[in-house]
Amino acid sequence: MKTFTSADDLQQVLREEKSNQKSIGYVATMGFLHEGHATLLEEARKENDIVALSIFVNPLQFGPNEDFETYPRDRERDENIASNAGVDYLFYPTVQEMYGEEPSVKVVVQSRTDCLCGRQRPGHFDGVATVLTKFFNIILPDRAYFGKKDAQQVAVIDGLIQDFNFPIQLVAVDTVREEDGLAKSSRNVYLSDQERKEAKELYQSLLKAKEAVESGERNPSSVTAMVREHIEDHTNGVIDYIEVYQYPELKPLETLSGNIIIAIAVKFKHARLIDNITLNIE
Ligand code: AMP
């Protein structure tokens, strides 16, 4: 594995790889790698000649009162995991390298953001789309792998790739979970023991909703009420949102049908957790 901190150097090497007809699979992360990230890397490894990974805690996607400063970072550990996962090129830029000069352009996401995390975190997806536009141009991937845990992010990136004509195939990978169902996340380390026990109830609430929908429930409000009740009864977390939409359009529904997403965000003392399930209703 070769590690680069310079965008120009990495771009040059990857251009050479491409001119030798090598396909490039790309995984974007903020580091503190876990099995969720490793699964994206595995998928990329299977389908491409070259695997590129970026690790960058992107200040543009954090709000003023969010956890940019305290987001967990561990370069040495990440480099080991990346190398074991078969990464060929690791891009580990500094904030200065990515945004050194006062940027003159940013990407503004115009749809699929007025709900879920987009509503709770204004500007977040503009930051994601801006940094990915840079990474896509630096890395020139054939395929880019993203986790369905961040389902709104997948919907936004789908729009970015289409609207800006990036010649990139978006691959969405299923959420990797702990044994008790909690979605793996770099932020799980900030849960207290008690919160960690409660956190499994997020997925349990989604499974309960899934069961209800599979048994014929078609009213979105009943589904969100059921999820709310479960989370309130089983955790001390503060609910940020519980929402149900068409997916990936993220449009509201009066009656559940077609592809839908049930998505939740819950705040614990030092960690805000998100999770979702998507269902296809015939
Ligand atoms: P992050 O480092 O949190 O920005 O995540 C980097 C990528 O890994 C994103 O595409 C995430 O959706 C994905 N990811 C994070 N957690 C998981 C998980 N538990 N299962 C699958 N993908 C994940």
Side-chain angles (χ1 to χ4, degrees), residues 180-200:
D180 64 3
L182 173 64
K184 291 199 183 246
S185 165
S186 307
R187 290 186 169 102
N188 290 348
V189 292
Y190 290 128
L191 297 170
S192 68
D193 290 349
Q194 175 60 26
E195 287 175 332
R196 173 62 190 84
K197 282 186 198 139
E198 294 176 5
K200 71 172 188 302

Side-chain angles (χ1 to χ4, degrees), residues 64-129:
N65 298 317
E66 294 183 358
D67 56 349
F68 174 70
E69 295 297 341
T70 56
Y71 194 85
R73 294 160 168 91
D74 189 337
R75 178 166 177 165
E76 206 178 306
R77 178 175 165 275
D78 282 351
E79 285 191 329
N80 279 327
I81 295 174
S83 161
N84 290 335
V87 170
D88 298 293
Y89 295 101
L90 170 61
F91 186 33
Y92 210 113
T94 58
V95 173
Q96 171 69 20
E97 176 68 9
M98 293 299 286
Y99 304 119
E101 306 299 323
E102 182 73 19
S104 57
V105 179
K106 76 166 183 178
V107 179
V108 177
V109 183
Q110 311 209 78
S111 67
R112 301 180 174 181
T113 53
D114 56 353
C115 59
L116 304 173
C117 292
R119 185 161 47 213
Q120 304 292 327
R121 305 180 71 188
H124 169 71
F125 286 111
D126 296 348
V128 170

Side-chain angles (χ1 to χ4, degrees), residues 34-43 146-150 172-186 188 196 203 274-276:
H34 53 67
E35 274 172 51
H37 302 117
T39 303
L40 302 190
L41 292 169
E42 246 170 60
E43 293 301 310
F146 293 92
K148 291 186 193 170
K149 179 173 95 71
D150 300 284
V173 178
D174 285 342
T175 301
V176 179
R177 298 179 180 282
E178 303 288 352
E179 262 177 32
D180 64 3
L182 173 64
K184 291 199 183 246
S185 165
S186 307
N188 290 348
R196 173 62 190 84
Y203 188 51
I274 59 170
D275 203 350
N276 70 80

